[in-house]
Amino acid sequence: RIGSIDILMKSAAPSELELLRARLEEAEETLAAIQSGKVDAVVVSGPQRDQVYTLQGADHSYRVLLEAMNEGAATLPPDGSILYCNKRFAEMLKTPIEKVIGVSCTEFVAATDQQAFASLCRQGERARAKGEITFSLHDGTRVPVYCSIGPVEIEELRCLCLVATDLTEQKHTQEIVASENFAKSILEQAVDVIVVSDQSGKIIQASRAAHLLAGSNVLHQPFENAFPLRLSEGAELNCSLDEADERGTFSAAACLGGRTIQNLEVQFQRSDGKRFDLLMSAGPLRDSLQRVLGCVFTL
């Protein structure tokens, strides 16, 4: 288009020349604005009506990125209402976007975190501020999030940009680890002999008392090798003797298959020759779906 204007200028009258020069300058300014990202749409006059052409430049890429990101993003004007949010932010709130826009963000913040959120917003007006808060949803669900809030200017209006990362899965993992550590601490400090085996019968956890009874480290050994137990004379089971072989040696196979044994009298001879008379209880270790994962023995 600029090239055609340049050709016309060479054969134009002085008055037309000024007009064409002005048009050329305007075209050059428009191209420069488009290339620098200052323009995201162009209005073109036609014989019927003006038409608006949206440019898919850098700004379009940012919008696509914002909608595709895994974090929730929202823009808050000074009154704290939600001016804009991406799809992920609405998903975190379990609310359609059209019902999120225009609503005060504090309506989604748990009552216990209202002051913390207000403090984050005040800090975010000056510089980037970060902290954990909890969203309280209409269905009662609580969603822990890590918020990053900072200042942003939109059409000369000073706003806040909020980016929220869902911490639900991370918190759940932390709870599991804490629970496992707590259970392990109890097991290690238990006075009784407690042994946990996997589904193959190999010992995966044992109390300190279990190591002392065996006289060695029993971890990663088959239970029947670490504790070769024999049924005491007169010991009876309420079922067939599939917990022991023909020699009266205890077998963990039944327990690993789902059977439970309580207060069975057994004898244990340690490698140094010392003998112990014990009461043994054993039962399957199951998961939330009641699948057998192993066995728990107490002696």
Side-chain angles (χ1 to χ4, degrees), residues 9-72:
M9 286 176 63
K10 294 178 180 179
S11 59
S15 59
E16 294 177 335
L17 187 63
E18 292 300 324
L19 177 61
L20 291 172
R21 183 177 286 111
R23 289 174 60 187
L24 176 60
E25 290 177 357
E26 182 182 358
E28 289 177 338
E29 289 176 1
T30 302
L31 284 176
I34 293 172
Q35 291 171 349
S36 64
K38 295 179 180 178
V39 173
D40 58 7
V42 175
V43 179
V44 178
S45 298
Q48 302 297 327
R49 58 186 174 84
D50 292 345
Q51 290 184 312
V52 178
Y53 293 90
T54 302
L55 304 178
Q56 294 190 354
D59 187 55
H60 176 75
S61 300
Y62 292 142
R63 292 175 186 173
V64 171
L65 176 63
L66 196 63
E67 287 301 325
M69 64 191 293
N70 195 45
E71 285 73 27

Side-chain angles (χ1 to χ4, degrees), residues 15 17 30 41 83 86 89 92-93 97 105 122 144 150 188-189 199 201 242 271 275 280 288:
S15 59
L17 187 63
T30 302
L83 184 66
N86 65 355
F89 190 80
M92 290 168 63
L93 300 179
I97 289 181
C105 193
R122 286 194 298 270
E188 289 177 346
Q189 299 178 56
Q199 199 170 17
D242 53 356
S271 57
R275 294 175 179 270
M280 183 187 71
S288 59

Side-chain angles (χ1 to χ4, degrees), residues 255 257-260 283-296:
C255 296
R259 288 275 297 279
T260 299
L285 178 67
R286 300 179 185 272
D287 64 9
S288 59
L289 299 177
Q290 295 303 304
R291 294 173 299 194
V292 178
L293 302 179
C295 192
V296 179

Side-chain angles (χ1 to χ4, degrees), residues 190-204:
V191 176
D192 294 330
V193 175
I194 303 175
V195 178
V196 182
S197 77
D198 62 15
Q199 199 170 17
S200 70
K202 186 179 294 184
I203 297 173
I204 55 175

Side-chain angles (χ1 to χ4, degrees), residues 14 158 219 241:
R158 194 165 178 81
L219 293 179
L241 292 181

Side-chain angles (χ1 to χ4, degrees), residues 148-180:
S148 177
I149 302 177
V152 62
E153 192 168 299
I154 302 175
E155 296 180 358
E156 299 182 357
L157 178 65
R158 194 165 178 81
C159 300
L160 291 176
C161 176
L162 183 154
V163 177
T165 303
D166 191 342
L167 299 178
T168 302
E169 187 173 342
Q170 180 180 334
K171 292 289 185 182
H172 181 59
T173 301
Q174 290 175 350
E175 290 173 0
I176 292 175
V177 172
S179 177
E180 289 178 347

